[in-house]
Structure formats: C-alpha cells, structure tokens
Amino acid sequence: MSTAFLKSGPFLHGKASTSTSMALVLIALIPTTGYGIFLFGRPALLLCAVTMVSALIFEALCVAAMRRPVLPCLMDGSALLTGVLLVLSLPPWAPWWIGVLGSALAIVVAKQIFGGLGQNVFNPAMMARVALLISFPLDMTTFVKPLGLTDPGAPGWLDSLRITFMPQPAFFDAVSSASVLGHIRTETGRGVSVADALSSLPDLNAMFFGHTAGSLGETSAALILLGGLFLLATRVIRWHIPLAMIATIAAFAATFHAIDPKVYSSATVHVLSGATMMGAFFIATDPVTSPSSTRGRIVFAIGCGALTYIIRTWGGFPEGIAFAVLLMNALTPLIDRYLRPRIHGRTRKGAAITVEKRA
Amino acid sequence: MGIVWTRGRWFRIRGGVHPEDHKNLSAEKPIATLPMPDRLYIPLQQHIGAPAEAVVKIGDRVKKGQLLGRAQGRVSAPVHAPTSGEIVAIGRHPAPHPSGLPIRTITLAADGRDEWGSLPPPLDPRRANPEDIARRVGDCGIVGMGGATFPSAVKLNLRERYALKTLVINGAECEPYLTCDDRLMREHGAEVLDGVDAMRRALGAADAIVAIENNKPQAIDAMSLAARAFSHIRIVAVPARYPMGSEKHLVHALTGRETPARGLTADIGVVVHNAATAFAVHEAVRHGRPLIRRVVTISGEAIKTPANLWAPIGTRIAELIAFTGGLTQDAPRLLLGGPMMGAPLADTATPIVKASGGVLALDQGTKASPETRACIRCARCVDACPSGLMPLEMVLRIRKEDLQSAVAYGLLDCVGCGACAYTCPSKIPLVQYFNYAKGRMAVEQREAHRNTEIKRLVEARAERMERLARAKKEALAKRMAARKKTQNTAARGASDAPAEPRKVGA
C-alpha cells in the first residue's frame, strides 16, 4: 500500500513525536544522572561517556550495515536512551569495557537483531545488565562508597582515568562497599536480623535522597521519582505501571515483614532501595516491551513487582528488577493477546452485546 | 476510560483526543448570505443510497424549490432547485463523492429572480401525524447534514420497527475549525428546536436531548433559552473531546447505554440527528421548503477572512472562497469537511452539497503526511480509540495482509474517527490502512459472492448440459430402437407405437 498520497485524514496531528518522547525521558533522567556523577565522581562521568558514545556507535554500525539512513535513526534518541538506562544501572566505577560490552549487548543483540526500534521483545538495557551480571558477577557487584566530586578523598582526573580505563583488581578497594540490598542479603544469609544489618547502613533518609552505595543512577529514590512525575505530567508514561508495580512490591514486603520482621525487610526499604523506582518509572514503562492495554499494563506491572520481590527475597541475586522485567517482557505478547480492551458494543469475548428487542 | 465532569454532570468517556480546536477563526462570524451564483452544479447523488433520477431536461425553466431529481428506491433522496433559472446541462461534474470521480450533475443557470415555485402547504408538527412529517422530510430531500448523508426520512420511519424513547440531536460539532452548527444554534435556536420537536413527534420519542460540546457556551446558552418553550427537550453540555460527535459514542456518553456492534442506536431506543438537519426539518415542515441551502464554514489559516455562509447547494467552492476574499497563499491544503474526517479537495469546481459543513484551506505548514517512523508500540492509539480497538495490532496485521485477524481486532468496528492517527507519535497513517483494509474486505466479499454465484451457474449449466446430452442420447437411442422396431415391424407387420421420446425435453 502506498501512503505517498494521503486520501484520508486526519490532517491535523498531535504534537507528540517519537523523538520528543525519547528526549523527554532523557530530560527526566538528568537529575539522577547528574547526581550519580556528583556522588561517584569522575570515574562515573567517564563511564557515562563511554557507554553512551558506544551505544550510538553500535546503533550507527547496525543501521549502516542494513543500508538504512543512519542519521535519522540516531536522531530518534532511542539508542542514546538505552545507553543512559544501561549506564545508570552499572556500578559507577565499572571498567570501560563493561560499558562498551553492555552497549553492544543492548543495541546489537537485544535491539537490532530483533529488527530495530519497536521490534525488540526484551528491554535492551535490562538484557545487557543481566547478561553482564551473570557473565561478570564480580565487576558488576563491586560498588563504591559515595566519594563525590567535592569529597577530598575522591580520585582526580588521572586516577579516574586509571579506574575506568586501566582497571586493576583491588585498585581503590578501600572504598568498595555493598549496596543496601546486597548487604541485607549477605547479613541475613549469615543469620543476622534485618534490623541489625540495617543499623550498619545509611538510614532511610539517605536511601531516599540517595547518599548510599549502589548503581550509578539508582541510589536516589527522590530524584528518580521527580523524573517519573515529570514523565507523568508530560504524558510520556501513564500511571498504571509505576503505581501497580510499586504497590505490589510494597504489599509483598509489608506482608512478609509483618510475618517475620527479622528475616524480611520492610516495604520502605524495598521501595526506596535498589532499582525499584528506576524500574517502576523508567524500565517497566518502556512502551516497546510493555503491554498495550490498560488492563494488560496493570497485570504486567503486578507481575514485575511480584517477581522482583520473589527474586530479591528467595532468589540467587540481591536485586530482582532486571530479571523480573525481562521475565514479564517475555509475557507481554501473551498479555496483549488475551487482555485486549473490550470493543464498544461487544462483550469481552467479542460477541455483539444483546439488547432486549422491543416492538 | 475517563470520567469527566461537565456542567453539572458526570460523563463516562472512553478514549478520545484533544485536537487544537482553531474554532476561534470563524466562531464569532455571524452567518452571512452568499449572493446567488450565476451557475449552480447540483449532483444527483448527495446522499448514501441510490442516486436521484433527473426529472428535468436541458432547456427546462425551473422555479426555486422545484424538484430536479426524484428519489430512487427506499434509501435515496430527491434534489431540488436552489434558485429559479434554466437547466443548461446534465452531465458529469466533479463532486465530493468517495470515488473521487465526476458524478451526474444538473447545471442550473440562475435567472437572478430567485422565484419560489409552488411549495407544499405548511404542517403543524403538533397536529400532523408522524407519517406525514416523515414523508415531508423525505420529499424535501433532507439527509444527515453532519456528514453521513443518510436520508433522514428513513431514520424517522424507524418507529415502525423499534420502540424509540429518545431523540438525540448531535450539536457536539467536535471537528476542529468547524463552527457552522455553533452559529446556527446561536442564531436560530428556536427554529432548530422546532425541527427537533417535529422529529421527536415523528419518531414517537418521549424526549429529546440536544448535546453540545462545552467549548460552545454561547450555543449552549442560546439553545437553553430557546428550550424553555419546549417541555420535552433538554440541552446537555458534553465534554469537548474528539470524537464526541460520533453517534454511538455520543449516545453512550448521554445515556450510559452501548449500541450493539454492527447494530443501530435504535436497538437501544435512540435515534440521532444532526442540529443542522433539525433546522432543515423546521424549514420543510413549517414552510414546505426543500433542502436547498446550508451553512458552510469557510476557514483555515490560509483563508483571508474566515466566514460562516448561507450557501445554495451547488455553489462551487472556488466561488465561496473568492467571496470571503480569497487565499493568503498559493497552494494551501484544501479540505472539504473538518481536518479529522474531512476529505482532501482535488478541484475547486466541486460544488458544496447537503453534507458540506466546511471548506478549509490549511496552511501548507500543516503537513498532511509527516514522515512516518517505526511504531514503538507506545499504545497511545489504544488509549485514544473510543471504540476499544488496538490500532497498532490492526496495522501490524493489515501490513501482512492478514485481514481476517485484523477483523478479529475490530477492524469493522472502527468508525474511522482518526483519533489514533492524530495521537500517533510515529505519524503512522492508521486510518489510511484501515480504509484500505475495509475496501479490500468489501472487494473480497463481492468477489467471493461473485465466485460462488459463478460456480453455482457453471454447475447448473454443466448439469443442464449433461441432462440435455443424456436426454439427447436417450432420444437417439429410442429413435434408433423405434426405427429398428419400425423396420422390424415393417418387416414383421407388428404395430406397438413408441410413446417415450415425446417426454424428452419436458
């Protein structure tokens, strides 16, 4: 079918465009990205640069290999966004090759091989994160204590370059530290109660504002929430997924915490730590890999939340968002198939509704 | 799905979009009267159904309001002379027709006297019986003026088969730019409501609701004031949200009841007519005047002075534009109807017809076909669809030519409002895909029907031929036998005459 000559309307279009949506998401991520760089210093900045640039390069290579125009594809902003989402989920002092390999996995394997923008089944950033986590568990779980740009002990440019580009084991390991969830998992694994484990960690306030060890852009629940609210206000995302996902995690956590507070952390810890906020507002809401109908989105989000809690609590990894989202991504086509909106004038099963005929 | 509070009422509304409305260009322009053009081009088909049949010939002198074309068949409408003059041509002329092809059109040269012919006597809707009102509406060539052009009399006769409770008057006018109904309701509220009441009586409906979008407060006020004279008519403000004017969705918002898929609103006791149609009904019933003029909004950024005009049916669009002062740029995008569901205008010699509510000249900058990007499954189209369809899934299937599964996703339930395409950030021409698929479905259905018909005929012929052949053979055999017998008889002198062969061919 040719669409060169439009025979039918509408002849007006809304202002929304794919690239503006991507740009708005990028804008929404500025606070938490900026804070991540401030918190973890120059190595974090270098890692950001490496990851984003390599994401763009891989996108360009793939598109060029398919003999399609490169520039429009780069301009849609999706590759850059994938790069940003990926780097925000990495340990801030991860070596350069983690960023590059992650970008390659995200762009080439998770996105372009499926057919490019809009065709991928799994969230590219999360697929890369999980692949890296399984392949390089040590590099992916070496978190550092916040040692920001302004901190006197922070590495200067030279040290930062060495941290990122000439990583040696044990370099700067005096500052390595566990993330909140990782710490709780290790400690409870040794029989220490959650409360005791938490006592040696930053308080909830710090977790909310993000002054803790963790992934580059996921420590500050407040700033991510701010970005998320911005996305809601600009109608890039709708509220169903974030709300349903956070509520599910909180409900699970509160229930088990009530049953045995020694073993299970509270809802607040679960909601404010790890990638919960990032996952709920920026990852699970990815339009490409989440369901299309409102009911589908809610089911999807509840699934993400439940799986996250299950993996965090009983699984082999302290953090569950990435795994949970990927598992639910796999169910998205199924959800889209079975949870369609009801068609006007039809029953859910698709039959025309009946009215009692009069006269 | 949303719940909206509008002027003292909650409305349940599903989907919809908020296009920029641009109504301010013409909303404050009172309806002016276009001077009678020299020539009028009156298409014989201005409605859904069979075209009218010309009852005049070239050279005939006609009076204003005289019948030019007679309705043919049950779903059809007559056309009348918009002014007095001479018939100078009957032939093909460009017209707003879905095919885009020129259609049979009567050309009338105005004599400038604008003399009325004899009109049927006025009816008092309070005393006339329903059949008479419906017949009058049919005789006056009234069709749905909101754009659907369904002959109104056919809808008024629905009382014969349905128990109708409510008449809904669609004064929503949800298309951006269009203000013709707004102005008509503001300036002629009493006449519109008189028409509404006549229709209500014809239908035997207990009450009538006039629905107006809340972005037309003056129309709501004017109509509310006029409605004090009518006890069975309510004016209801509905939220301004496209496509509020879509019949089944409007009825749902007003009554909370859903029309069955593939059914009529009459199934739930409701009939919907347009506000301009109600005015035409008033003219027909009270004055015997056929539908020969309508209010047209001339607007758009490329129109020098936007206007609302009383224009005779058959006025060429070029003349309407020229009367308002012309265009501000060389090649604007010309549209007939609103920008959401209207059609591109190929030729300004096209006349306005009973359905033409607006002529728009949009800025070239209002790109009609912005660059299409890949679908990112954002599902804004799903959220925008008032009918609960999944446009993105439908397009996916249409691209693969899998029309049956597109139908399973509701292709045939699509009203073509274009809310999905309006909101699509990737600018995918969704409506175009759906129209293409619906067209293909229709063609395939026709072809399938034709094929079964041909198959049936071929089989019948084969059977007939076989029967004939068999009969022939039998006849031959019998003749041979008979001859043999005769020979034998002749030889032997016996006499049993064969009667059988006569039966052959029976």
Side-chain angles (χ1 to χ4, degrees), chain A residues 8 31 71 83 111 117 167 207 264 294 338 358:
Chain A
S8 44
L71 208 60
K111 180 180 172 190
L117 180 61
M207 284 163 62
Y264 304 103
T294 303
Y338 289 105
R358 293 158 304 178

Side-chain angles (χ1 to χ4, degrees), chain A residues 1-22 72-73 75-76 117-120 234-238 286-294 297 332-333 336-346 348 350-359, chain B residues 14 20 22 161-163 165 176-177 248-249 252 257-262 267-269 333 335 339-340 342-344 362 366-370 373-380 382-383 386-390 392-393 408-410 413 418 421-427 429 431-433 435-436:
Chain A
M1 189 188 87
S2 161
T3 55
F5 179 68
L6 274 183
K7 287 202 183 90
S8 44
F11 299 92
L12 285 187
H13 283 282
K15 290 208 177 69
S17 82
T18 313
S19 32
T20 11
S21 299
M22 301 286 176
C73 268
M75 291 304 288
D76 70 27
L117 180 61
Q119 308 281 314
N120 48 302
T234 49
R235 295 171 189 240
V236 174
I237 62 170
R238 296 179 68 205
D286 169 27
V288 177
T289 56
S290 63
S292 309
S293 69
T294 303
R297 286 176 200 141
T332 293
D336 267 341
R337 190 184 169 91
Y338 289 105
L339 295 183
R340 305 182 201 170
R342 188 177 61 78
I343 296 175
H344 187 92
R346 291 187 187 275
R348 287 224 175 271
I353 56 170
T354 47
V355 289
E356 80 273 27
K357 287 263 172 136
R358 293 158 304 178
Chain B
R14 192 180 196 183
E20 283 176 61
H22 302 275
R161 282 183 295 138
Y162 299 88
K165 278 204 325 224
Y177 289 95
K248 289 176 184 178
H249 301 113
H252 187 229
R257 300 194 67 189
E258 265 181 55
T259 308
R262 322 293 290 144
D267 288 326
I268 54 172
R333 277 204 75 78
L335 297 181
M340 298 298 287
L362 300 190
T366 320
K367 264 203 190 165
S369 43
R373 295 296 188 92
C375 170
I376 54 165
R377 303 185 54 82
C378 67
R380 278 169 192 256
V382 179
D383 296 335
S387 300
L389 311 182
M390 301 182 88
L392 79 172
E393 299 286 353
Y409 272 89
D413 296 280
Y422 173 85
T423 193
C424 177
S426 298
K427 315 293 182 219
V431 180
Q432 191 127 319
Y433 276 103
N435 287 345
Y436 161 80

Side-chain angles (χ1 to χ4, degrees), chain B residues 104-175:
Chain B
R104 219 167 137 72
T105 299
I106 295 176
T107 309
L108 172 62
D111 59 15
R113 288 200 286 271
D114 204 29
E115 262 179 303
W116 280 102
S118 66
L119 295 177
L123 285 176
D124 181 352
R126 264 167 278 201
R127 296 215 192 88
N129 58 36
E131 293 80 19
D132 290 339
I133 298 176
R135 192 176 310 117
R136 172 61 61 86
V137 167
D139 288 347
C140 285
I142 297 173
V143 301
M145 291 169 79
T149 68
F150 194 82
S152 301
V154 180
K155 272 164 103 177
L156 291 183
N157 282 327
L158 286 174
R159 70 176 180 285
E160 291 161 4
R161 282 183 295 138
Y162 299 88
L164 303 173
K165 278 204 325 224
T166 307
L167 166 64
V168 166
I169 295 297
N170 183 353
E173 200 166 43
C174 58
E175 275 273 7

Side-chain angles (χ1 to χ4, degrees), chain B residues 271-440:
Chain B
V271 169
V272 182
H273 282 283
N274 172 265
T277 310
F279 182 87
V281 167
H282 158 82
E283 295 248 280
V285 171
R286 294 286 185 177
H287 309 289
R289 289 181 201 144
L291 177 51
I292 52 171
R293 62 166 186 167
R294 71 157 297 146
V295 185
V296 186
T297 300
I298 317 291
S299 187
E301 286 79 11
I303 290 285
K304 243 181 216 149
T305 42
N308 287 296
L309 297 175
W310 275 120
I313 301 297
T315 309
R316 281 171 303 176
I317 281 158
E319 285 176 82
L320 283 166
I321 294 174
F323 177 73
T324 63
L327 301 166
T328 59
Q329 50 182 269
D330 284 342
R333 277 204 75 78
L334 290 174
L335 297 181
L336 198 54
M340 298 298 287
M341 289 186 81
L345 181 63
D347 189 343
T348 53
T350 303
I352 61 133
V353 293
K354 294 169 183 176
S356 319
V359 173
L360 304 182
L362 300 190
D363 204 300
Q364 276 256 298
T366 320
K367 264 203 190 165
S369 43
E371 205 185 330
T372 298
R373 295 296 188 92
C375 170
I376 54 165
R377 303 185 54 82
C378 67
R380 278 169 192 256
C381 54
V382 179
D383 296 335
C385 181
S387 300
L389 311 182
M390 301 182 88
L392 79 172
E393 299 286 353
M394 280 151 63
V395 164
L396 212 64
R397 283 155 181 80
I398 294 168
R399 277 191 182 146
K400 288 189 281 191
E401 294 284 332
D402 182 3
L403 301 184
Q404 280 314 321
S405 98
V407 170
Y409 272 89
L411 176 66
L412 300 178
D413 296 280
C414 165
V415 295
C417 70
C420 52
Y422 173 85
T423 193
C424 177
S426 298
K427 315 293 182 219
I428 298 167
L430 295 154
V431 180
Q432 191 127 319
Y433 276 103
F434 303 152
N435 287 345
Y436 161 80
K438 286 175 192 165
R440 278 287 307 275

